Amino acid sequence: MRPGLSNTPGERDLIAAIRARLPQAPAWLSVGIGDDAAVVEPARGALIEDELRLMNHPKEDELPQIVSAIRATAAKFPSSAYALALLAEAEWKAEDKDAALADADRAIALDPGLSRAYSMRARVLLERAQEDDREEDWKAARSAIVKANRADTEDPVPLALFYRYHAMKGGPMPEIGYDGLAKAYMLLPQSPEYRMAYVQALAFQGYYAQASRLLDPLAYSPHPSDMRDGAVALKKRFDAEAAKKKTASAVP
């Protein structure tokens, strides 16, 4: 067994999901048209605009209004686990962690198979565990991550959270943690967060040239931003490290 891993059935399921071949395309891309169109849950339809606002990196002072809007919509759909999970995510971003955990748990009670709700529970518990370092919180966070992955093995969020769990807890990073982050990135390569996390993980393992190449879309973006500046600086550093490594390996 690799370091940092237990041998529970849930953990074995997570490992199997990480090692599984990626599908040709994520299931959510297979949306039918016409008679075969997927039916959208009414709550999801009502929440589309607020969900997009939440995804679009809102400013801190915009979050309370977004939370209030999602909470009002969720109240209209009391049986919607999806609405409660989205509300939990908004509350978490607005730093209302207790409310986020409570609503994530309410969502799980309504739908024990909702990956998003378990991931939100894990996020809150990871932060709590980092603050108090209580083993029971680490275990609860890990359990939520495993359950999120079991609910949807192609959801990149629990895969990335599995890596984050080990990074936050400290100690040697198990190989399966790196594998999980790699799969999360491959499932959602357009996410700057996953790209940067994977870049840092590659560099930590000494794969500087590969890490530098993955920074290209950010470093060569035509749009000025702090992220672009950071990517340029990192790329310069990684290129220098890659050159050193190549020179060292060439010395007889």
Side-chain angles (χ1 to χ4, degrees):
M1 191 190 310
R2 291 191 176 98
L5 295 177
S6 67
N7 197 30
T8 64
E11 195 82 357
R12 290 196 295 270
D13 290 345
L14 177 57
I15 293 169
I18 289 172
R19 291 177 178 160
R21 282 187 62 191
L22 289 175
Q24 293 300 311
W28 53 265
L29 287 178
S30 301
V31 179
I33 298 176
D35 293 339
D36 296 325
V39 177
V40 177
E41 178 190 348
R44 293 186 71 158
L47 286 164
I48 286 175
E49 185 175 341
D50 289 322
E51 185 167 10
L52 288 173
R53 291 172 65 200
L54 189 64
M55 290 169 59
N56 199 31
H57 306 290
K59 295 177 182 177
E60 187 177 345
D61 60 359
E62 295 174 330
L63 283 167
Q65 195 279 329
I66 295 174
V67 170
S68 295
I70 295 174
R71 184 177 289 127
T73 303
K76 297 175 184 177
F77 301 93
S79 62
S80 173
Y82 182 90
L84 285 172
L86 183 63
L87 175 59
E89 187 173 332
E91 289 165 337
W92 177 74
K93 288 186 177 182
E95 299 292 330
D96 192 350
K97 305 302 170 64
D98 290 339
L101 183 60
D103 284 322
D105 286 344
R106 288 171 62 201
I108 290 168
L110 286 171
D111 183 358
L114 186 59
S115 178
R116 187 175 197 168
Y118 284 114
S119 290
M120 279 314 310
R121 175 175 172 77
R123 287 182 191 275
V124 177
L125 291 174
L126 277 176
E127 291 182 354
R128 182 179 292 179
Q130 190 174 43
E131 290 170 3
D132 59 32
D133 200 28
R134 290 193 308 172
E135 189 59 30
E136 62 190 85
D137 286 334
W138 288 114
K139 287 181 177 177
R142 187 187 187 109
S143 175
I145 293 167
V146 169
K147 289 176 180 177
N149 175 261
R150 186 182 293 165
D152 185 353
T153 58
E154 301 306 319
D155 183 350
V157 176
L159 297 171
L161 285 174
F162 186 66
Y163 173 85
R164 188 178 174 203
Y165 164 86
H166 286 286
M168 292 172 70
K169 198 169 190 292
M173 174 66 68
E175 185 181 339
I176 199 70
Y178 289 121
D179 292 345
L181 182 59
K183 184 171 181 179
Y185 163 72
M186 286 186 285
L187 284 165
L188 200 63
Q190 65 270 34
S191 166
E193 178 187 351
Y194 291 167
R195 181 179 292 270
M196 288 299 290
Y198 188 39
V199 161
Q200 295 282 12
L202 286 171
F204 185 78
Q205 296 172 90
Y207 301 127
Y208 297 109
Q210 295 92 321
S212 176
R213 284 197 297 272
L214 280 179
L215 283 169
D216 286 352
L218 301 178
Y220 299 132
S221 168
H223 308 293
S225 68
D226 291 341
M227 181 169 287
R228 186 181 74 173
D229 295 342
V232 169
L234 275 178
K235 187 171 177 63
K236 183 177 179 181
R237 183 179 128 210
F238 293 158
D239 286 344
E241 292 292 342
K244 282 187 201 175
K245 192 174 179 181
K246 187 175 181 180
T247 301
S249 65
V251 175

